[in-house]
Amino acid sequence: MRYFNQIKPVEAFKVADAKELGQLLVLDMDGVRGKGDTHPLEAKLRTFVDRSAVLRGVRAALPWFEVLLFHVLRNELHRPKGTKKALADFGEEEAKKAGRGLANALLANVSAEAAVDEWMRTYPALGEMELQFPFLRPMMNAVAGAILAQVAWGVKARAYLGAAVSAADAVSDAVMINEFYEMGDTGTAKGLLAMVGGNVAFQTIIVVTQNHGLKKNKWRTMLFEMLSVVTFVKPGLDAHRVASGAEHLQGAAVAPLTEMIITKAGELVFEAIPGLVLQVAALLRAKEKGTTAVVSILISTASTALTATTIFWDDE
């Protein structure tokens, strides 16, 4: 990639090339981002652009392009400062504002592509820049995706929020099972209980599959994981592993992030969606619409939506 990047002209750059270039850019800058006003990022970025034929071409046409990339890679949150200036009127100060703006877009959006789209709409000059250099959007999509994957708050926010909502959903389901029994609606109570049981059974299967090949402390780890399943704390445990960057244990079937995605998918299929449908049906049949039931449905809806978006985003 480095070799072809030095000689490949912009007209020969395809989407796949642009994505690889964006990923390589973030990888090369890893470890030198966010260390004060003057730090190795500026020099390293200049070297990267010097070695890249397509980026040299952009810099030749837009002298402030490096400033834009510099602040994109810094990924520091600032109070948004938009600018409606056209591309012809853009300078280093406008490039600084626009570069800082991507961090705010990443915080507000679920996916890197959505964040880049919002970013380019916020700064119209970037849209003009894309027309001139079409490879820049897929490159920036890759840059934004790589930043989201590396930066702690992006992963932690999604992991811990998902765990909190899952826990709230489990508590609300338990409350509603008890309430349905008290109302005499044993069919709905048993149905909801069966869905919770199905989810627990699925999580248990995942635990056995994930830890069966461990080379060290296999049975102790498996017992601990099963205990986390039956006590409904596994979502929080998975979130902590992902957010803290836990390593893929030797012999484990998949990495912690993949395990979290699989368990969330099981939760979605066995409990979240069918439980939500069952509770809505019960609420529609009930003569009195209790506040507890409405709150439980809202929590289940939030859990389902967040779980689905997390699965599709992290699976990318």
Side-chain angles (χ1 to χ4, degrees):
M1 182 62 193
R2 286 179 183 276
Y3 172 74
F4 286 107
N5 185 34
Q6 291 181 34
I7 63 173
K8 184 178 289 188
V10 63
E11 58 270 16
F13 244 62
K14 302 187 184 303
V15 171
D17 300 315
K19 288 182 177 179
E20 286 193 50
L21 179 60
Q23 292 168 349
L24 183 62
L25 173 60
V26 176
L27 182 64
D28 261 24
M29 303 302 121
D30 191 31
V32 296
R33 292 188 281 127
K35 296 183 178 179
D37 293 330
T38 56
H39 51 68
L41 174 60
E42 192 170 5
K44 201 167 185 180
L45 177 60
R46 184 174 297 111
T47 300
F48 188 94
V49 173
D50 287 341
R51 292 176 177 175
S52 171
V54 289
L55 296 184
R56 285 199 310 270
V58 179
R59 183 178 61 187
L62 308 170
W64 43 262
F65 180 62
E66 270 185 37
V67 176
L68 178 77
L69 285 182
F70 175 83
H71 289 285
V72 163
L73 293 168
R74 286 290 297 275
N75 193 44
E76 292 182 336
L77 293 173
H78 294 271
R79 187 166 62 180
K81 293 181 179 179
T83 174
K84 299 299 181 183
K85 285 188 177 181
L87 186 63
D89 301 320
F90 238 56
E92 289 194 2
E93 187 59 32
E94 289 75 24
K96 179 179 179 180
K97 292 177 183 177
R100 287 178 169 182
L102 183 58
N104 297 295
L106 287 173
L107 183 64
N109 287 275
V110 174
S111 70
E113 289 79 5
V116 171
D117 186 63
E118 178 185 313
W119 181 54
M120 288 190 165
R121 285 188 284 105
T122 302
Y123 301 92
L126 300 182
E128 295 181 54
M129 184 174 69
E130 182 191 3
L131 293 176
Q132 190 172 346
F133 302 100
F135 77 93
L136 283 176
R137 179 182 284 266
M139 187 191 86
M140 293 310 303
N141 284 343
V143 167
I147 289 174
L148 270 181
Q150 288 184 0
V151 176
W153 56 257
V155 178
K156 286 183 178 180
R158 286 181 285 124
Y160 286 132
L161 181 59
V165 174
S166 293
D169 190 29
V171 171
S172 69
D173 284 346
V175 171
M176 288 310 301
I177 289 171
N178 180 65
E179 187 159 315
F180 284 135
Y181 271 119
E182 290 182 350
M183 292 166 53
D185 190 354
T186 56
T188 302
K190 289 179 179 179
L192 193 56
L193 188 59
M195 292 168 189
V196 174
N199 182 42
V200 170
F202 177 79
Q203 308 295 335
T204 303
I205 293 172
I206 295 302
V207 165
V208 174
T209 306
Q210 169 73 349
N211 299 289
H212 183 70
L214 288 181
K215 306 298 182 183
K216 190 176 181 181
N217 297 326
K218 179 174 74 172
W219 296 110
R220 182 187 300 176
T221 302
M222 200 175 295
L223 182 62
F224 176 77
E225 292 290 323
M226 287 182 177
L227 185 62
S228 73
V229 170
V230 298
T231 55
F232 301 101
V233 299
K234 184 163 174 56
L237 190 62
D238 288 342
H240 175 71
R241 286 180 182 141
V242 171
S244 61
E247 296 181 358
H248 185 172
L249 296 178
Q250 186 179 6
V254 294
L257 177 59
T258 305
E259 182 186 5
M260 187 177 78
I261 293 172
I262 294 172
T263 55
K264 282 187 171 295
E267 179 185 330
L268 196 67
V269 172
F270 289 99
E271 182 181 354
I273 293 177
L276 176 60
V277 172
L278 186 64
Q279 290 185 67
V280 169
L283 182 64
L284 292 175
R285 289 197 313 267
K287 295 179 179 179
E288 295 183 6
K289 316 298 184 185
T291 304
T292 305
V294 174
V295 171
S296 178
I297 288 172
L298 290 176
I299 292 174
S300 295
T301 303
S303 177
T304 302
L306 184 61
T307 299
T309 52
T310 299
I311 288 171
F312 285 113
W313 160 244
D314 286 328
D315 192 46
E316 291 177 357

